């Protein structure tokens, strides 16, 4: 049996590994021309952690993980306002929490793939002929490929979804925020961070900065906005939105102007009633993006890939396997999406009152005996979907 996977992000690479392990002949199509380092620092726990353990990948991930002892929130001038001990959170999760750069996770998954997988970078899917007994895929260069199954792992703006289920607008829930991430070099910022993860938090805007082991700085930005389109010039938009802030923010904005590439997107969720049609199935952000407000997109994409492979292993009939996969994952993913929407105000407080409330809760956590009482709130939604 042959599977074509469209998208070599976290979900697609995980699906490729599991399907190849089960004897599928796997082709992966990726429109980018190689691995990308872009992206933010991921809190890797729960579902993704368990999938990585089943794959035997945890050792490699631990090697590239960062030790973030605590996360510190500061105001627009760099004054400390609140903090939380990550070591404490990790302990409460039984040690099952890693801080990983998205690009490092992608690279580790890629390097873990068996040589039998046909990886095609620079290959953009443009067309699908989806039948009950197979699927024909067309690429931008006119190449046509036949397969028994097409897995759409092509992210929140999925072309596979558009071709098989309809236009994005039907399934796209804009949460009213936009986000950006890029990596840059600046010695002064790095010295100031000194191994700490700092978040500048002012009403409606949050910026996270972290010093990487190679001497560079990883940054991410998230802000509330009424804008429905994406800016033509992300660096200029960042300057416009974050321009008045102090501390090391002006340097970050200056660096954005010369950054090779900036990840910039809506903070949005994808909800669609069916995740499969004939021989096309969706995984990851393509069918159930939870958004960075829910904070587990990569982990959940790995969980969906794992479950899809498990159902295909269990059932001879592809149609039955796809139905079982959808049934197993759709409801839990909707719950994760809802909790992401509910907790948005904690990640990006919109008003000075919400900001003070968040800081008060974080201060309370430090009072002896309070953390165990509040830990159900911090650990809500972290349970693995696959174990
Ligand atoms: C470079 C990059 C940086 C990111 N940075 C952030 C970040 O800073 N913050 C955040 O919240 N989320 C970020 N994300 C999204 C985050 O990685 C995902 O939410 C999560 O990992 C689930 O991933 P996924 O594999 O389902 O989808 P994605 O990670 O979106 O992967 C989809 C893949 O499909 C490829 N693709 C799309 N269309 C086609 C096509 N027609 N043909 C072939 N290939 C196609 C894309 O190039 C991409 O590699 C980033 C994604 C990428 C690709």
């Amino acid at each position: 049996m042959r599977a074509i996977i469209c998208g070599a992000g976290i979900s697609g690479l995980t699906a490729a590994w599991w399907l190849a392990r089960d004897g599928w002949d796997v082709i992966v199509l990726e429109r980018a021309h190689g691995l990308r380092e872009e992206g933010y620092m991921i809190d890797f726990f729960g579902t993704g952690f368990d999938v990585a353990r089943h794959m035997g990948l945890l050792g490699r991930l631990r090697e590239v993980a960062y030790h973030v002892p605590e996360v510190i929130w500061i105001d627009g001038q760099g004054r400390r306002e609140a903090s939380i001990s990550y070591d404490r959170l990790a302990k409460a999760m039984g040690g099952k929490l890693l801080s990983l750069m998205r690009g490092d996770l992608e690279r580790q998954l890629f390097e873990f793939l068996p040589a039998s997988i046909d990886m095609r970078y620079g290959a953009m899917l443009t067309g699908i002929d989806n039948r009950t007994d197979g699927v024909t895929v067309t690429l931008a260069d006119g190449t046509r490929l036949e397969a028994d199954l097409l897995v759409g792992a092509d992210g929140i703006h999925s072309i596979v979804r558009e071709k098989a289920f309809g236009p994005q607008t039907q399934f796209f829930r804009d949460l009213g925020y936009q986000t950006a991430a890029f990596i840059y070099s600046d010695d002064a910022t790095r010295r100031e961070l000194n191994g700490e993860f700092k978040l500048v938090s002012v009403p409606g805007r949050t910026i996270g900065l972290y010093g990487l082991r190679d001497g560079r700085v990883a940054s991410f930005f998230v802000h509330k906005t009424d804008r429905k389109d994406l800016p033509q010039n992300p660096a200029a938009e960042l300057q416009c939105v974050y321009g008045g802030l102090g501390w090391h923010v002006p340097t970050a904005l200056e660096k954005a102007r010369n950054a090779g590439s900036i990840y910039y997107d809506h903070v949005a969720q994808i909800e669609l009633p069916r995740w499969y049609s004939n021989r096309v199935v969706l995984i990851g952000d393509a069918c159930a993006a939870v958004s960075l407000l829910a904070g587990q997109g990569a982990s959940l994409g790995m969980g969906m890939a794992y479950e899809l492979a498990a159902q295909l292993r269990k059932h001879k009939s592809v149609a039955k396997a796809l139905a079982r996969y959808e049934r197993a994952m759709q409801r839990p993913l909707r719950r994760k999406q809802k909790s992401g929407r509910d907790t948005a105000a904690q990640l990006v407080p919109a008003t000075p009152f919400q900001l003070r409330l968040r800081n008060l809760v974080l201060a309370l956590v430090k009072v002896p005996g309070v953390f165990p009482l509040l830990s159900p709130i911090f650990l809500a939604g972290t349970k693995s979907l696959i174990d």
Side-chain angles (χ1 to χ4, degrees):
M1 298 277 275
R2 173 190 270 187
I4 295 177
I5 297 172
C6 180
I10 311 293
S11 309
L13 293 175
T14 308
W17 189 88
W18 282 101
L19 292 178
R21 174 186 171 272
D22 290 343
W24 286 73
D25 173 15
V26 178
I27 300 176
V28 180
L29 307 173
E30 169 55 53
R31 70 175 168 196
H33 289 272
L35 292 170
R36 287 137 312 158
E37 66 165 12
E38 290 110 300
Y40 57 123
M41 185 74 84
I42 295 171
D43 295 330
F44 191 70
F45 54 83
T47 309
F49 195 97
D50 283 336
V51 174
R53 182 163 51 82
H54 286 306
M55 292 170 76
L57 185 66
L58 268 187
R60 281 167 169 257
L61 295 185
R62 284 191 203 284
E63 274 174 31
V64 296
Y66 284 85
H67 179 223
V68 179
E70 65 172 349
V71 175
I72 300 166
W73 281 264
I74 57 181
D75 68 10
Q77 301 310 316
R79 289 177 296 247
R80 185 178 176 118
E81 293 209 308
S83 65
I84 189 162
S85 160
Y86 245 49
D87 284 345
R88 210 166 182 190
L89 274 181
K91 207 166 157 199
M93 290 184 191
K96 292 167 67 172
L97 169 66
L98 296 177
S99 298
L100 292 169
M101 287 298 288
R102 194 210 70 88
D104 286 344
L105 177 56
E106 184 177 299
R107 175 172 293 280
Q108 292 306 318
L109 282 165
F110 172 79
E111 289 177 355
F112 204 54
L113 293 179
S116 62
I117 293 176
D118 182 354
M119 290 295 306
R120 300 194 189 185
Y121 281 96
M124 169 132 169
L125 178 146
T126 52
I128 300 170
D129 175 22
N130 181 17
R131 307 175 302 276
T132 51
D133 62 345
V135 59
T136 308
V137 164
T138 310
L139 307 188
D141 66 2
T143 306
R144 286 163 69 85
L145 300 167
E146 301 291 332
D148 301 289
L149 182 66
L150 170 63
V151 181
D154 49 345
I156 197 162
H157 306 293
S158 168
I159 307 265
V160 173
R161 184 185 64 228
E162 186 185 296
K163 300 282 175 202
F165 300 91
Q168 172 169 296
T169 45
Q170 291 179 32
F171 313 119
F172 194 80
R173 187 200 279 253
D174 187 343
L175 298 183
Y177 301 83
Q178 294 190 348
T179 182
F182 63 95
I183 298 173
Y184 61 92
S185 298
D186 182 59
D187 287 344
T189 309
R190 198 188 146 74
R191 272 197 305 277
E192 159 75 19
L193 290 167
N194 193 22
E196 288 171 330
F197 193 127
K198 290 197 170 163
L199 288 162
V200 180
S201 185
V202 296
R205 292 169 291 171
T206 294
I207 303 167
L209 296 181
Y210 186 77
L212 299 179
R213 61 174 73 83
D214 65 4
R216 294 179 302 160
V217 175
S219 67
F220 89 85
F221 300 71
V222 55
H223 59 271
K224 245 180 132 39
T225 177
D226 293 331
R227 237 188 128 134
K228 295 289 168 233
D229 61 336
L230 289 175
Q232 294 286 333
N233 181 342
E237 180 71 3
L238 292 178
Q239 180 64 46
C240 195
V241 175
Y242 298 89
L245 298 174
W247 192 58
H248 290 267
V249 177
T251 309
L253 297 176
E254 174 68 33
K255 297 285 178 181
R257 276 202 251 148
N258 301 315
S261 62
I262 299 181
Y263 169 81
Y264 194 106
D265 211 339
H266 300 277
V267 175
Q269 296 183 333
I270 294 293
E271 296 163 307
L272 77 164
R274 303 312 305 262
W275 288 3
Y276 70 97
S277 157
N278 289 341
R279 293 301 182 102
V280 175
V281 64
L282 302 175
I283 61 172
D285 279 8
C287 59
V290 290
S291 87
L292 82 115
L293 298 177
Q296 304 177 46
S299 244
L300 295 170
M302 290 178 74
M304 285 185 258
Y306 171 91
E307 182 66 24
L308 173 64
Q311 295 296 348
L312 286 163
R313 196 180 309 131
K314 212 183 283 176
H315 302 286
K316 267 210 164 82
S317 150
V318 172
K320 193 168 180 183
L322 302 189
R324 290 291 164 90
Y325 152 72
E326 181 189 278
R327 199 197 296 169
M329 297 307 274
Q330 203 171 50
R331 202 177 294 167
L333 260 296
R334 291 219 169 115
R335 280 200 295 269
K336 297 274 185 198
Q337 289 180 317
K338 178 165 185 321
S339 86
R341 294 193 295 273
D342 292 346
T343 55
Q346 287 162 25
L347 188 64
V348 193
T351 62
F353 173 73
Q354 285 180 356
L355 200 95
R356 280 199 299 275
L357 195 65
R358 197 259 331 266
N359 292 346
L360 185 70
V361 172
L362 289 168
L364 265 178
V365 169
K366 294 209 183 93
V367 176
V370 172
F371 183 76
L373 296 176
L374 293 184
S375 63
I377 299 176
F378 288 105
L379 301 183
T382 59
K383 201 173 165 301
S384 173
L385 295 186
I386 65 147
D387 259 8

